[in-house]
Amino acid sequence: MGHNNSLNLDPALVKYNNMHVERYKFFRWTPRTAWLSLVWIGVIPGMALWASYKTEGKYILRGKRRGDTVKEF
């Protein structure tokens, strides 16, 4: 009395899942993918690193009481 294959899968979701799993087979370097890779791998982490170095030690959020300022410079 088992319920084998009683779950009906949405064909669109199955197709999307197969596309997601096999994406590496169809990937090509184009100017657009190269630009997006450069931005997400280099520019955004670089901006975050620059902002963290710029504000190093300026803000201390622990041990403050009501009315105290968070800036330490």
Side-chain angles (χ1 to χ4, degrees), residues 6 13-14 16-19 22-23 27 31 33 38 40 42 44-46 50-51 54-55 59-60 65 67-69 73:
S6 63
L13 291 176
V14 172
Y16 175 78
N17 186 39
N18 289 336
M19 180 199 67
E22 298 178 356
R23 183 174 296 181
F27 178 79
T33 56
L38 176 70
W40 285 103
I44 292 176
W50 175 79
K54 201 72 172 159
T55 59
Y59 303 102
I60 298 176
R65 296 186 180 187
D68 289 349
T69 182
F73 60 95

Side-chain angles (χ1 to χ4, degrees), residues 22-52:
E22 298 178 356
R23 183 174 296 181
Y24 71 95
K25 294 179 182 178
F26 305 106
F27 178 79
R28 290 194 179 138
W29 283 106
T30 62
R32 182 175 187 264
T33 56
W35 172 249
L36 288 174
S37 297
L38 176 70
V39 168
W40 285 103
I41 294 172
V43 175
I44 292 176
M47 288 177 10
L49 186 66
W50 175 79
S52 65

